[in-house]
Amino acid sequence: ELSPTRGCRPCHARNDDAICRLQGYGHNMAHARAEHDARLKLAAGIAGPLIFTASWVGATLRQHGHGEYHVAREHISGLAAPDARHPRLMTTAFLVLGVATNLFGAALRDHLGGAGRAGAGPRLIRVGGIATIAAGLLRRDRMLLGLPEGVARQSWRNDGHDMASGIVYMSLIAAPLALGRRFGDDVEHERLQLPALATSALTAGLLAVYASRRIEPYNGLVQRFGVTVPALASAALAARLLKKA
């Protein structure tokens, strides 16, 4: 009876090793792809708010003083209206911010342990992202606030924009509040709790002043601060997580 050559292994053992190596390679590739996708989503969480902020700043500078638009009085969304100077720029900025916010919410959910452990914060962020897309698609009827002479009411599209904007505002307050509570239960992220709660409180204060119209001639400026504070705070959080990724 012939025995296997010394130093060689049976054929089935070599096949098993090859299969194991292929499985290990596939697992490593999937892990690397998941890490790459997570970094891209976190990068979107940085790019989205920065692009949106730069867009409304640029569009405001171009629009201010034209068509009776005044930065202190008028809102950001008026810059996407059909009669604005650069409506496509701001509509695109709304859509980019909405998509980027959604991606960041998904990355944050995964970073915090998945849907079951992440809490409500990432979900609220993604709701805000969807509402931002809706606000961009459902543009206001006109650049200036108020109805023009002879027009009894605004269109359904403008109504939809107002509803979507309301959801965005609520998410800007509720999402960092929920994240603050979640961070407090996690030793790894507890240092982020105070910034998250402070962002929620400051945003709530600014939007309360905005909704109250107590300083109506400057409501456009109050709105810009109320939107920019949580947007930049979100970008800062994404940058911190990306650095650790």
Side-chain angles (χ1 to χ4, degrees):
E1 182 180 352
L2 297 175
S3 60
T5 305
R6 180 177 295 182
C8 295
R9 303 180 63 187
C11 182
H12 66 82
R14 293 197 300 270
N15 289 340
D16 288 345
D17 284 348
I19 292 173
C20 287
R21 285 195 296 270
L22 287 174
Q23 289 176 339
Y25 177 76
H27 176 76
N28 291 337
M29 287 292 293
H31 182 70
R33 179 62 182 269
E35 288 186 341
H36 176 71
D37 289 347
R39 286 193 291 268
L40 285 179
K41 291 175 182 177
L42 291 173
I46 302 171
L50 296 182
I51 290 172
F52 182 78
T53 302
S55 296
W56 73 249
V57 169
T60 298
L61 292 175
R62 293 281 294 166
Q63 187 68 57
H64 183 71
H66 294 270
E68 300 182 17
Y69 187 94
H70 195 286
V71 63
R73 297 190 302 266
E74 305 296 337
H75 299 172
I76 293 173
S77 54
L79 297 168
D83 57 339
R85 297 190 73 185
H86 302 286
R88 291 182 180 178
L89 169 64
M90 280 312 303
T91 299
T92 302
F94 272 104
L95 299 180
V96 168
L97 177 61
V99 172
T101 300
N102 230 291
L103 292 173
F104 173 57
L108 188 57
R109 175 201 62 202
D110 296 339
H111 177 80
L112 293 175
R117 298 180 56 195
R123 287 195 296 271
L124 290 169
I125 289 174
R126 300 190 76 184
V127 167
I130 294 172
T132 301
I133 294 173
L137 295 175
L138 301 171
R139 298 189 297 170
R140 277 186 19 195
D141 295 335
R142 61 195 300 261
M143 178 181 63
L144 301 180
L145 292 170
L147 295 173
E149 186 177 352
V151 177
R153 70 179 310 277
Q154 63 187 20
S155 69
W156 65 267
R157 183 178 288 105
N158 205 138
D159 288 338
H161 174 86
D162 292 343
M163 292 177 60
S165 297
I167 295 172
V168 171
Y169 293 146
M170 288 188 288
S171 72
L172 294 180
I173 298 170
L177 180 62
L179 287 176
R181 295 184 61 183
R182 171 63 177 80
F183 291 153
D185 297 332
D186 188 344
V187 175
E188 181 183 356
H189 301 99
E190 62 182 357
R191 294 180 60 183
L192 300 175
Q193 181 182 33
L194 183 58
L197 296 178
T199 297
S200 178
L202 181 56
T203 303
L206 288 168
L207 293 180
V209 172
Y210 165 71
S212 71
R213 299 184 177 180
R214 289 185 177 274
I215 53 174
E216 182 80 61
Y218 304 101
N219 241 14
L221 293 176
V222 176
Q223 186 218 27
R224 282 164 171 77
F225 280 112
V227 169
T228 303
V229 166
L232 296 185
S234 177
L237 175 59
R240 180 187 180 96
L241 297 180
L242 181 60
K243 186 177 180 179
K244 296 174 62 177

